[in-house]
Amino acid sequence: MNISLKLKCSLQSSLYLSTKHLKCITTLPLFSPQHHLHLFFDRNNTATIQQDHELALVSALKSCATLFAISQGQQIHCLIFKSGFISNIFVQNSLINLYAKCGLMGCAKLMFDSCGGVDFVSSNIMVGGYVRLGRLDDARKVFDEMPKRGSVTYTTMIMGLAKGNRWRDAIELFRDMRLAGVTPNEVTMSSVISAYSRIKGVKNGNVVHGFVVKIGLESFGLVLTNLVNIYCVSSCLWDGRRLFDEMAEKNIVVWNIMLNGYSKAGYVDLARELFDRIPDKDVVSWGTMIDGYVQVGRLDDALVMYREMLSSGLVPNEVMAVDLISACRQAMAFGTGRQFHGVSVKLGFDNYDFMQATVIHFYAACREIYLAQLQFELGNKDHIESWNALITGFIKNRMIEPARKLFSEMPERDVVSWSSMIAGYAQHEQPNLALELFNQMVYSEFRPNEITMVSVLSAVAALGYLSYGRWAHEYINNNSIPLNDNLIAAIIDMYAKCGSIETSVEFFNQIRNKIKSLSPWNAIICGLAMHGHAKLSLDIFSDLQRCSHKLNSITFIGVLTACCHAGLVYEGEEHFKNMKNIYNIDPNIKHYGCMVDLLGRAGRLEEAEELIRRMPMKADFVIWGTLLAACRMHDNVEVGERAAQSLARVEPTHGAGRVLLSNIYAEAGRWEDVGSVRQAMQSQRLTKLPAYSGVL
C-alpha cells in the first residue's frame, strides 16, 4: 500500500490523536516527508524519540507542503483548532506556508490576516507564494507593508519581477536594496544581471560585473553564467569569451550561452569551433549551431549538422523543426522542407499550433498554395496565426481576391490580419483599397501598429494624397505608435512622393539622431535626388559615409540620380566605381540605367552605348529608351538608329521609341526616313501612350 493510500485510511482517526501520539513525532532529517506523515497519522506509533507538540505539528505541516498534500494538511489544520495550537506563531506560519506552497493564496491570506500583526517570516512566505503564481502586484503590496526586509525578501521580489519581464522594476528594487544596506547574495545578483541583460548595454554589464567582484560573488557559477550572457547579448563577445575561458567549471548552460552569442552575431565558424569543444552536447547545443547556419543562409551546412545530430542518438525538438522548415522556406527548398514536415508529423510536432503556421508559410513561399490550403483545412481553426499565414501566402502569390475572401471569413482578427491585408493591397497596386480597409480598421477600434502604418503611407505615396498623409502622420503621433526606422523612412518617402520635399527634410532633421539603420537615410537621399536637390542629397550622403551604416544598392540609386540631375559626370563615375571597389556592391540594371542617363545627358553617347554593351545583364527597353532619348536631345542619328533597333528587338510594340527615332530623323532633315518610320508604325498599329499625372 503506497503512502497516500495509508494516509487516506488513517484520516478517520487523525482528529483523535492524544498528547502521547503528538509527542512521538520525530523531525530528525533522516526521515522523509512521507515518513513524517506516516508517523503522524499512525495511531499505534510507539516511537521512542520524543519531541514537543509544537515541533510535531510544524514538522507534519512542512511534510504536507513538500508533498502538496493539501487534504491531509487541512485535516491537521482542524486538529490544530481542536488542540488549541492555532495561536502559536510557528504553527501559524507553517499553515500559511502549506497553503502558499499548494497555490491556495486565498486561504493563505485569510490565515495571514488572522495573525493580528505583520510577521517577518509569514510576510516572506506570502511574498514567495504570490511570486510563484505570478501575482507580482499582490507580492509587492505585502513587500511594501513589511516593516523589516532581509536579503531573502528582496531576492524573492527581485527574482519575481525579473521572471515576470518587469526588468526595470527589478533593477529599481535592487537599487533600493543597496540603499537599505542589505547585502545581495548570488541568487539576487543572477536575477539582477538577467534584468540588465534585457534592457541595458555593455556599459552596465561592466558595472554590474565590477560590483559582483567587489562583493565577492565572482566564484559562483550561476552568477558567472549570467555575466557571460549579458556580454553576449550586448554584442561584447570578446569580454564574454574571456570570462567564459576563466571559469573553472562549465556546465552545458554556459556552453550554450557562449555558442548562442557567436551564432546570433553571425560568427558561425567561431561557433563551430566552440561547438566541437563541448564535452556533452544536448539538443539545445545542436539546435543553436543549426540555427546559426540557417541565419547566414548556409542551409547545406545546417543539414549536415542535423544528420550528425541524428547519428549521435538525439532527436530534434519542435524549435529545431521550425527553424529548419523556415530555412527551407527562405531557400525555396521544397523537397527538403517537405521531408522535415514529415519528420515533424512523425514526432507529433504537427499538433502544435505554431508548427501549423510555419508549414503553411513554407508551402505558400514555395508556391504550393494548394498544400498550404490543405494544411490549413487539416489544422486548428481556432488558431488565428494559421489564418494569418494563409492570407500572407495568398498575397505573396498575388492572389488578392482569395486573401480578401479568407480575411472576410475570419471568426476574429488581430492587428496582423488587418496589416497583412492592407499591405497586400498596397503592394499590388491597389492603394485605394488599402486606405479603404485601413479606415475600416480604425472604425472597428483596432489599434494599428508601425507595420500597418508603413503600408498605409506607401499607399498614400502611390496616390499622392498629401492631406491624407499629413493626417496619417498626425495619427501616428497622437496614438504613440513607435517610430522605428522603417516607419521613419515611410514618412520621409511619403512626403517626398506627395511633393512636399521640404517637410521630408524637416522631419529627417528632427529625427536623424534617433536613426539606427540605413533605410531613413536612403529615403531622404532618393527623395531629394528625385526632386532635383542634388547638392543637399549628396551632402547628406557624405554625412552617411561618416556613420557606421553599411551602404546598399538603394543608397547608390539615390546618389547616381542626384549626380544625373546635377550633371556631375565625374562624381557619378567615381561613385559607380566605388560601389564595387570599396563597398563590394554589384551594380544592378537600375544603376547602369542611371549611368546611361548621366552620360547621355552630358552628350557622351558613344561611352553610354559602350557601357550598355559591357553590362553583365541584358539591357531592357528602359536602358535603350534612355539612350535613344539622349540621342534625340543631342541630334545623334548614328547612335540613335542603333539604339532604336535594339529597342525594337527588346520591345517590338514600343511606339514611343519609334516616335523618338522619327523626331531624330526630322531634326536631321531626313524626311524619307521619317516617312518610313511613321508608315511602319501605322502598319504595325503602334501608338505612343499619352502621359498622365499621378498627383492631379
Side-chain angles (χ1 to χ4, degrees):
M1 183 181 295
N2 61 37
I3 185 63
S4 61
L5 186 58
K6 289 180 180 178
L7 292 175
K8 185 176 180 180
C9 294
S10 64
L11 286 180
Q12 294 177 349
S13 59
S14 63
L15 298 183
Y16 302 100
L17 291 174
S18 64
T19 300
K20 182 183 79 169
H21 294 114
L22 284 176
K23 286 183 177 180
C24 70
I25 302 300
T26 179
T27 56
L28 291 176
L30 61 89
F31 290 101
S32 68
Q34 291 92 336
H35 194 65
H36 277 303
L37 289 185
H38 178 78
L39 290 174
F40 190 87
F41 288 113
D42 185 359
R43 186 182 180 115
N44 299 314
N45 178 56
T46 56
T48 57
I49 303 176
Q50 302 294 309
Q51 297 290 343
D52 60 31
H53 306 162
E54 171 195 297
L55 201 54
L57 289 169
V58 169
S59 176
L61 289 170
K62 181 179 179 182
S63 297
C64 288
T66 302
L67 298 171
F68 300 102
I70 187 61
S71 178
Q72 288 80 6
Q74 288 172 329
Q75 294 288 337
I76 297 174
H77 193 171
C78 293
L79 174 61
I80 289 167
F81 269 114
K82 295 179 76 75
S83 58
F85 281 96
I86 194 63
S87 60
N88 184 289
I89 190 169
F90 297 106
V91 174
Q92 288 175 350
N93 288 342
S94 297
L95 283 168
I96 295 170
N97 182 63
L98 165 70
Y99 290 123
K101 284 282 183 68
C102 293
L104 301 177
M105 291 306 298
C107 297
K109 188 174 187 309
L110 286 173
M111 193 70 215
F112 177 74
D113 292 341
S114 69
C115 292
V118 178
D119 175 66
F120 177 75
V121 176
S122 61
S123 295
N124 275 342
I125 295 169
M126 290 297 294
V127 170
Y130 282 131
V131 164
R132 275 191 296 273
L133 293 177
R135 295 170 58 177
L136 299 178
D137 292 334
D138 290 328
R140 188 59 188 262
K141 182 179 179 182
V142 175
F143 177 88
D144 291 339
E145 291 174 353
M146 292 177 67
K148 177 185 176 185
R149 309 179 191 100
S151 179
V152 173
T153 317
Y154 274 104
T155 299
T156 302
M157 195 67 240
I158 290 170
M159 185 168 57
L161 292 169
K163 287 184 176 179
N165 299 336
R166 291 168 60 171
W167 305 300
R168 295 186 185 279
D169 290 340
I171 291 170
E172 189 64 33
L173 187 60
F174 172 67
R175 290 171 180 157
D176 293 343
M177 178 183 186
R178 297 297 300 136
L179 290 174
V182 180
T183 304
N185 58 30
E186 68 276 12
V187 180
T188 321
M189 290 312 304
S190 297
S191 297
V192 169
I193 297 168
S194 176
Y196 268 115
S197 70
R198 298 284 185 167
I199 62 172
K200 298 291 183 179
V202 66
K203 178 181 177 181
N204 291 283
N206 288 329
V207 170
V208 76
H209 187 181
F211 181 73
V212 164
V213 173
K214 181 179 179 181
I215 60 177
L217 296 177
E218 71 275 14
S219 62
F220 288 92
L222 185 62
V223 175
L224 291 175
T225 297
N226 279 278
L227 283 172
V228 171
N229 182 61
I230 194 174
Y231 282 127
C232 287
V233 300
S234 301
S235 301
C236 196
L237 294 172
W238 316 126
D239 287 339
R241 181 59 187 266
R242 184 171 62 250
L243 186 61
F244 173 84
D245 290 337
E246 291 172 357
M247 291 180 68
E249 296 183 5
K250 304 178 183 71
N251 59 24
I252 189 62
V253 175
V254 74
W255 280 100
N256 288 341
I257 287 173
M258 195 68 239
L259 183 67
N260 187 61
Y262 281 137
S263 178
K264 294 296 184 187
Y267 299 122
V268 289
D269 294 327
L270 289 175
R272 181 58 190 266
E273 180 186 332
L274 185 72
F275 175 84
D276 291 337
R277 291 178 50 203
I278 300 178
D280 296 307
K281 305 173 183 69
D282 62 5
V283 70
V284 175
S285 314
W286 288 95
T288 302
M289 195 65 241
I290 289 170
D291 182 61
Y293 282 129
V294 166
Q295 295 304 318
V296 296
R298 291 166 60 174
L299 179 58
D300 290 341
D301 289 328
L303 296 177
V304 169
M305 184 67 65
Y306 174 77
R307 295 186 191 101
E308 289 180 10
M309 184 196 73
L310 295 181
S311 299
S312 73
L314 292 174
V315 295
N317 58 19
E318 63 275 14
V319 176
M320 189 185 300
V322 166
D323 281 343
L324 288 167
I325 294 174
S326 298
C328 292
R329 181 195 74 209
Q330 295 168 8
M332 301 283 285
F334 174 66
T336 304
R338 188 166 56 174
Q339 291 182 52
F340 280 118
H341 182 198
V343 170
S344 69
V345 172
K346 183 178 179 181
L347 295 175
F349 300 153
D350 59 319
N351 293 324
Y352 295 113
D353 289 337
F354 63 82
M355 177 61 74
Q356 179 183 334
T358 301
V359 172
I360 293 171
H361 278 302
F362 162 69
Y363 284 126
C366 293
R367 305 197 182 284
E368 298 288 342
I369 197 68
Y370 167 74
L371 293 176
Q373 289 177 276
L374 181 61
Q375 179 67 27
F376 174 77
E377 293 299 332
L378 294 173
N380 179 11
K381 297 297 188 300
D382 294 330
H383 187 229
I384 195 170
E385 283 77 10
S386 296
W387 290 81
N388 291 339
L390 187 55
I391 288 173
T392 303
F394 279 136
I395 290 169
K396 288 184 177 179
N397 284 274
R398 306 187 68 84
M399 301 169 66
I400 305 300
E401 290 305 318
R404 182 56 189 265
K405 182 175 182 295
L406 188 66
F407 176 83
S408 300
E409 293 172 353
M410 293 182 75
E412 61 175 316
R413 305 182 185 105
D414 61 8
V415 67
V416 176
S417 317
W418 289 95
S419 299
S420 298
M421 199 64 241
I422 292 169
Y425 283 133
Q427 293 164 10
H428 293 91
E429 301 177 357
Q430 299 184 58
N432 281 311
L433 292 178
L435 297 186
E436 180 183 315
L437 189 61
F438 173 68
N439 292 336
Q440 291 180 28
M441 179 184 185
V442 174
Y443 183 76
S444 301
E445 297 184 352
F446 274 92
R447 186 176 183 271
N449 59 18
E450 57 272 28
I451 298 173
T452 321
M453 297 311 299
V454 168
S455 297
V456 169
L457 291 167
S458 175
V460 171
L463 294 166
Y465 287 172
L466 180 59
S467 59
Y468 197 112
R470 292 189 189 279
W471 174 86
H473 188 185
E474 185 178 352
Y475 181 88
I476 291 167
N477 292 332
N478 292 342
N479 288 274
S480 302
I481 296 175
L483 278 175
N484 63 20
D485 282 356
N486 285 338
L487 185 52
I488 292 170
I491 293 171
I492 294 170
D493 184 63
M494 179 272 296
Y495 280 123
K497 288 180 178 176
C498 289
S500 184
I501 189 63
E502 296 82 4
T503 311
S504 285
V505 174
E506 181 183 350
F507 176 68
F508 174 79
N509 289 331
Q510 289 173 357
I511 208 79
R512 68 187 300 168
N513 292 331
K514 299 179 182 179
I515 294 172
K516 299 177 182 177
S517 68
L518 184 63
S519 55
W521 290 90
N522 283 348
I524 192 64
I525 290 170
C526 292
L528 286 166
M530 178 176 65
H531 281 266
H533 298 287
K535 184 179 184 306
L536 183 54
S537 177
L538 294 175
D539 287 345
I540 292 178
F541 174 70
S542 297
D543 294 341
L544 172 60
Q545 288 179 302
R546 290 188 285 271
C547 299
S548 59
H549 302 304
K550 184 178 179 181
L551 309 187
N552 63 17
S553 61
I554 299 174
T555 315
F556 283 96
I557 289 174
V559 170
L560 294 175
T561 302
C563 291
C564 188
H565 279 289
L568 302 173
V569 179
Y570 173 77
E571 290 82 354
E573 289 179 318
E574 287 300 306
H575 288 307
F576 186 74
K577 292 175 185 176
N578 291 341
M579 283 181 64
K580 183 64 177 176
N581 297 339
I582 296 179
Y583 299 103
N584 198 30
I585 300 171
D586 291 318
N588 60 36
I589 196 167
K590 292 183 179 180
H591 300 107
Y592 280 100
C594 290
M595 287 304 298
V596 170
D597 192 21
L598 177 62
L599 294 170
R601 287 172 185 250
R604 295 163 57 174
L605 302 175
E606 289 78 8
E607 292 179 55
E609 185 180 18
E610 179 59 25
L611 179 64
I612 296 173
R613 304 291 181 195
R614 290 189 284 106
M615 283 170 52
M617 72 285 294
K618 186 177 180 180
D620 60 8
F621 74 93
V622 176
I623 296 286
W624 289 115
T626 300
L627 180 59
L628 185 57
C631 292
R632 165 75 174 83
M633 182 189 303
H634 295 284
D635 300 326
N636 190 316
V637 178
E638 183 181 352
V639 177
E641 284 181 322
R642 291 195 295 268
Q645 290 169 3
S646 298
L647 177 57
R649 284 194 295 269
V650 173
E651 187 65 44
T653 61
H654 197 276
R658 303 294 180 90
V659 172
L660 279 173
L661 181 60
S662 172
N663 291 337
I664 291 173
Y665 284 142
E667 291 289 337
R670 293 170 54 173
W671 299 108
E672 289 184 5
D673 292 325
V674 171
S676 298
V677 171
R678 292 181 178 177
Q679 186 177 3
M681 288 182 65
Q682 289 174 355
S683 64
Q684 297 176 28
R685 299 181 183 277
L686 300 180
T687 59
K688 179 184 176 184
L689 295 176
Y692 68 94
S693 171
V695 178
L696 299 178

